[in-house]
Amino acid sequence: MNEKERQLMRQSKWKRLTRQRWFYPALYITLVAVILAGVMVYQFQASDVTEDGNQNEENPSQVADNNGEEDTVPVVAEQEDLVMPTLLGDQAEIITKFYDAEASEEEQEDALIFYNNTYRQSKGVDITSKDGQPFEVIAALSGTVTAVYEDDLEGQVVEIEHDDTRSTYYGSLSEASVEEGDEVTQGDVIGVSGTNVYGDEELTKVHFRLLEDGEPVNPNFE
């Protein structure tokens, strides 16, 4: 039997096979099984990738540990809110306001200081107690004491630096309880109210200033 005859015989057997009733259903079932198997393999591989990705996302610290790196620490702290430099609460009274060029005429008049036959614009606020008694003066912000000295007009003075831009000034003190170089926390007592030559020299008070970039600004206590 030559090659051509063999080929014709194979073709004849194939034709007889395809005429069987069960041939095409069996072929169909086989193809469906192959396709389903491929789909299952693909889904299994995709599931492994997703699980690995979620594990890294949910546990970033583990990735950092594997790289030998420590947890990051925020380098910018929240800025403190300014507080009134007393513990008087409702018993505190502002008797001299900060002179604001944008304030009303009436408010500007309340911010003028009369001394030596001259009106001067107040660079801060004068705070006293409603009962007229001396009171403790506290740091309005955390910072470093940069100066403690006696001023001929303002009395005992304490200056505190808080950051690169802000500082505070506490004048008219009868005594100071801090020294230059001390680190203070907001609310720490730094002195006791006293008097100065401006206004009523019998009235105990603290003259407070808030400065930004060296310039007095309104502390806005009211």
Side-chain angles (χ1 to χ4, degrees):
M1 181 181 295
N2 56 32
E3 182 61 30
K4 186 174 181 180
E5 289 175 343
R6 293 193 187 95
Q7 185 176 2
L8 290 173
M9 184 177 292
R10 285 195 294 268
Q11 290 177 352
S12 177
K13 290 180 178 181
W14 176 254
K15 288 180 180 179
R16 287 198 300 270
L17 181 63
T18 57
R19 292 194 184 104
Q20 300 296 323
R21 293 182 178 180
W22 53 264
F23 176 78
Y24 286 105
L27 179 62
Y28 175 77
I29 292 174
T30 302
L31 291 175
V32 170
V34 171
I35 293 173
L36 289 177
V39 171
M40 292 178 64
V41 171
Y42 174 79
Q43 290 180 340
F44 180 77
Q45 292 177 344
S47 176
D48 287 345
V49 173
T50 302
E51 289 178 359
D52 291 342
N54 289 341
Q55 183 175 1
N56 290 338
E57 182 177 355
E58 293 173 359
N59 300 284
S61 59
Q62 294 180 358
V63 177
D65 290 341
N66 291 335
N67 293 333
E69 298 178 357
E70 297 181 356
D71 294 339
T72 57
V73 178
V75 296
V76 180
E78 291 185 4
Q79 193 176 59
E80 286 180 328
D81 291 329
L82 184 74
V83 299
M84 186 175 286
T86 77
L87 297 174
L88 294 173
D90 294 339
Q91 294 302 307
E93 181 180 2
I94 296 178
I95 54 176
T96 305
K97 297 181 179 180
F98 174 82
Y99 187 90
D100 190 341
E102 298 180 358
S104 65
E105 184 176 344
E106 181 180 354
E107 290 175 326
Q108 288 178 348
E109 290 179 357
D110 291 338
L112 294 176
I113 301 172
F114 185 73
Y115 174 72
N116 200 19
N117 295 322
T118 304
Y119 283 100
R120 304 185 181 192
Q121 298 174 354
S122 175
K123 298 179 181 180
V125 295
D126 288 338
I127 305 169
T128 188
S129 60
K130 291 182 179 180
D131 60 9
Q133 297 299 312
F135 55 90
E136 291 181 328
V137 176
I138 64 172
L141 295 165
S142 301
T144 304
V145 178
T146 55
V148 179
Y149 57 93
E150 185 76 28
D151 184 86
D152 292 339
L153 301 178
E154 287 286 1
Q156 191 85 354
V157 174
V158 173
E159 297 181 9
I160 303 177
E161 185 177 280
H162 307 288
D163 50 41
D164 294 336
T165 60
R166 294 194 299 176
S167 61
T168 48
Y169 173 104
Y170 310 78
S172 189
L173 303 178
S174 60
E175 60 180 86
S177 54
V178 292
E179 298 179 352
E180 183 177 340
D182 286 350
E183 296 290 335
V184 296
T185 301
Q186 185 181 62
D188 286 350
V189 175
I190 62 172
V192 178
S193 64
T195 61
N196 60 32
V197 300
Y198 299 117
D200 186 352
E201 295 187 21
E202 300 299 323
L203 184 64
T204 183
K205 60 187 177 183
V206 58
H207 177 69
F208 175 80
R209 299 178 190 174
L210 172 65
L211 301 97
E212 294 184 358
D213 295 322
E215 295 296 325
V217 297
N218 193 344
N220 292 312
F221 287 136
E222 294 184 333

